């Protein structure tokens, strides 16, 4: 079982409920599909402190690109849609005190809203491609070909 992050409050409650119902650590881990260590720690914390919620806000290093930096990066992308990752990183680093690497740029580009997802793609197909295909190929003998991009799999 790989590391999935913190358990939600509901999942922590399920752990306590399973242990209180008389299941062993191993049985609880198998039933809930959590690690034995997680089961043990959550139940021990509940026994000692009587709480099931996690006070950890987040883990890991703080991101160097905040909300303002994300907006700035979005503007850089809109200015030059064909810019490579290296070019975007270089342009971004010109205006900040603490520079970022290409991996940080790649990670930051993932939540930016200008990305095409399945919902937006399906609306484009229904609003534009479908009418175009019915106009150009009224006998329905045309083909619309696409690659296996994640948004195209919708």
């Amino acid at each position: 079982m790989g590391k999935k992050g913190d358990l939600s409050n509901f999942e922590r409650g399920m752990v306590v409920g399973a242990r209180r119902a008389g299941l062993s650590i191993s049985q609880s881990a198998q039933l809930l599909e959590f690690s034995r260590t997680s089961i043990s720690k959550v139940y021990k914390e509940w026994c000692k402190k009587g709480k099931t919620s996690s006070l950890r806000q987040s883990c890991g290093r703080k991101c160097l690109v905040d909300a303002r930096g994300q907006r700035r990066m979005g503007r850089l992308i809109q200015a030059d849609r064909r810019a490579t990752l290296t070019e975007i990183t270089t342009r971004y680093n010109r205006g900040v005190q603490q520079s970022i690497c290409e991996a940080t740029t790649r990670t930051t580009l993932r939540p930016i809203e200008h990305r095409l997802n399945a919902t937006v793609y399906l609306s484009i197909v229904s609003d534009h491609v479908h009418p175009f295909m019915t106009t150009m190929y009224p006998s329905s003998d045309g083909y619309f070909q696409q690659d296996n991009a994640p948004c195209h799999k919708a």
Side-chain angles (χ1 to χ4, degrees):
M1 289 177 223
K3 187 173 181 180
K4 294 189 280 186
D6 286 342
L7 299 178
S8 68
N9 290 341
F10 180 75
E11 291 171 331
R12 290 171 168 270
M14 289 183 358
V15 168
V16 171
R19 294 288 287 137
R20 297 253 350 232
L23 295 177
S24 68
I25 293 174
S26 297
Q27 291 170 331
S28 300
Q30 187 176 14
L31 175 70
L32 301 173
E33 298 181 355
F34 301 138
S35 69
R36 292 178 64 229
T37 306
S38 297
I39 301 289
S40 177
K41 285 182 180 180
V42 168
Y43 189 68
K44 188 182 297 183
E45 185 177 35
W46 183 80
C47 288
K48 287 183 179 179
K49 300 178 184 174
K51 68 177 192 116
T52 58
S53 63
S54 173
L55 297 179
R56 269 179 51 177
Q57 297 299 318
S58 62
C59 54
R61 183 177 179 201
K62 299 293 181 204
C63 186
L64 295 174
V65 182
D66 56 356
R68 182 178 178 196
Q70 287 181 355
R71 290 191 303 270
R72 183 168 177 261
M73 196 170 291
R75 287 191 301 272
L76 288 172
I77 293 168
Q78 285 179 345
D80 185 7
R81 301 290 292 175
R82 294 183 180 265
T84 64
L85 190 66
T86 306
E87 292 171 346
I88 293 170
T89 304
T90 305
R91 290 175 189 161
Y92 182 85
N93 286 336
R94 285 186 195 145
V96 294
Q97 290 179 329
Q98 190 170 8
S99 63
I100 61 173
C101 64
E102 289 182 15
T104 303
T105 303
R106 185 179 302 112
T107 303
T108 304
L109 291 176
R110 288 198 174 106
I112 290 185
E113 296 175 14
H114 306 293
R115 189 168 178 195
L116 183 67
N117 59 21
T119 307
V120 175
Y121 178 73
L122 289 175
S123 69
I124 290 171
V125 169
S126 66
D127 294 343
H128 301 285
V129 177
H130 190 294
F132 174 79
M133 292 297 286
T134 55
T135 303
M136 295 304 293
Y137 303 100
S139 60
S140 299
D141 60 350
Y143 289 99
F144 175 63
Q145 186 172 352
Q146 57 193 359
D147 59 1
N148 279 330
C151 62
H152 296 170
K153 293 178 184 176

